[in-house]
């Protein structure tokens, strides 16, 4: 599978047939290897019936790979979702709203990953702030399913 550069990201796009074997069209947690190196990551849906993930600079440096290189990926889905890294601005917003923090803690790790993906999916600070505020309103109005 070939690595691609899109804007500031280096991504690995799964072939459509490999993506079709995953249990969800949405985000999927996977474990496995990339060029023999242990890997655990969230695959993101690409909107075109496949999935991708961002290959971090740390991983690229460790493996000596770059955009344009072909890698060997061996993965399988797992239900073992780790806690996502919560961005500082979202941590601050949740800390300032204890009921929202309690509701945040009540949702599953996959749901927290999804909220973070939506909030951080923009470079525009104003849009990001609006998305955080929208999440807090949703939590305040209890318009979410904690099991998601």
């Amino acid at each position: 599978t070939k690595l691609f550069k899109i804007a500031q990201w280096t991504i690995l796009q799964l072939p459509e047939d490999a993506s079709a074997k995953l249990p969800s069209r949405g985000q999927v947690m996977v474990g496995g290897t990339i060029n023999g190196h242990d890997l655990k990551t969230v695959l993101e849906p690409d909107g075109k019936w496949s999935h991708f993930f961002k290959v971090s600079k740390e991983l690229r440096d460790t493996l000596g790979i770059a955009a344009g290189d072909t890698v060997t990926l061996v993965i399988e889905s797992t239900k073992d979702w780790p806690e996502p890294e919560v961005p500082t601005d979202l941590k601050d917003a949740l800390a300032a709203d204890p009921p929202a923090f309690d509701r945040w803690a009540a949702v599953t790790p996959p749901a927290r990953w999804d909220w973070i993906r939506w909030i951080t999916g923009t470079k525009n600070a104003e849009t990001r702030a609006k998305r955080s505020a929208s999440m807090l309103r949703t939590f305040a109005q209890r318009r979410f399913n904690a099991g998601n």
Side-chain angles (χ1 to χ4, degrees), residues 55-139:
V55 182
S56 70
K57 180 176 181 347
E58 179 183 359
L59 183 57
R60 292 190 317 268
D61 289 349
T62 297
L63 297 177
I65 58 176
D69 290 346
T70 298
V71 298
T72 301
L73 182 69
V74 177
I75 57 169
E76 63 182 1
S77 65
T78 178
K79 293 183 184 228
D80 182 26
W81 286 71
E83 284 299 320
E85 185 174 326
V86 181
T88 302
D89 57 337
L90 182 55
K91 269 187 201 174
D92 293 345
L94 289 165
D97 187 341
F101 178 82
D102 290 344
R103 291 183 186 103
W104 173 261
V107 300
T108 63
R112 289 191 284 272
W113 277 87
D114 199 38
W115 278 110
I116 290 169
R117 179 171 80 80
W118 178 63
I119 291 167
T120 61
T122 180
K123 290 183 186 179
N124 184 299
E126 185 178 327
T127 301
R128 187 170 166 142
K130 286 179 182 178
R131 289 179 180 182
S132 290
S134 176
M135 183 195 79
L136 294 175
R137 280 192 307 277
T138 298
F139 283 9

